Amino acid sequence: MIKQFGFIRATLLLAIAAMAVLGLSPAYAASGHQLDQDAEAALKALYDSSPGAKALGDKAKGILVFPNIVKAGFILGGQGGDGVLFKRGKKAGYYNSGAVSVGLQAGAQSFGYALFFLTDSAVKYLETSSGWSIGTGPSIVVVDAGAAKDISTLTGKSDVYAFIFDQKGLMAGIGLQGSKITKITK
């Protein structure tokens, strides 16, 4: 019983520490200029490695790029990072992506992801909502490396496509479920 209490206490302390660090992330966020550069470089690297992403980018009404999402957890976890919305190649706003999770998980990792908005209504939903929870609103398809080779502008029939890239770290599995995207000012 005492060992169980110690494990639960250690888990809670770790979760509180992780949430505190993630909660402070806006204070340590990169400047708008640095975030712009990071997002542009991440998008270019994605295009270089995935012709499917480039094909969708050419058709997209907007592209939201999160160059560095940090995810950490031990039973309770969290992830977060800032991104840039590009419309017609121009910066159109800044957004934050955050999520909290519970389950059998342990580790830490970083990754980037890009959301390709193929309809004006999907971009409008992002811009006018007070926070978009992935899984509600426009339909989204997460594209894996295998499918990315076969995607073309003709097969892009969903509102939003997501590409996850540049994964680093030790964490079992990755997903965007439960992520909330909120507009921020820089």
Side-chain angles (χ1 to χ4, degrees), residues 95-111:
Y95 290 80
N96 177 270
S97 175
V100 178
S101 58
V102 177
L104 294 174
Q105 58 186 336
Q109 73 178 166
S110 67
F111 61 96

Side-chain angles (χ1 to χ4, degrees), residues 12-128:
L12 288 174
L13 287 174
L14 182 61
I16 290 168
M19 294 303 131
V21 169
L22 288 171
L24 292 175
S25 63
Y28 297 111
S31 70
H33 180 70
Q34 184 63 49
L35 184 57
D36 292 345
Q37 289 179 336
D38 292 348
E40 287 170 2
L43 188 58
K44 182 183 179 322
L46 177 60
Y47 284 168
D48 289 346
S49 68
S50 174
K54 176 69 172 124
L56 283 176
D58 291 342
K59 184 179 180 182
K61 305 293 183 177
I63 304 169
L64 182 54
V65 181
F66 292 96
N68 187 37
I69 300 291
V70 176
K71 180 178 182 178
F74 181 73
I75 301 180
L76 293 174
Q79 70 182 38
D82 294 336
V84 179
L85 175 65
F86 296 100
K87 289 169 54 177
R88 295 177 190 84
K90 306 276 188 214
K91 178 188 63 107
Y94 296 104
Y95 290 80
N96 177 270
S97 175
V100 178
S101 58
V102 177
L104 294 174
Q105 58 186 336
Q109 73 178 166
S110 67
F111 61 96
Y113 73 92
L115 299 173
F116 293 81
F117 294 83
L118 298 184
T119 63
D120 289 322
S121 62
V123 174
K124 184 176 181 181
Y125 186 87
L126 171 70
E127 292 177 323
T128 60

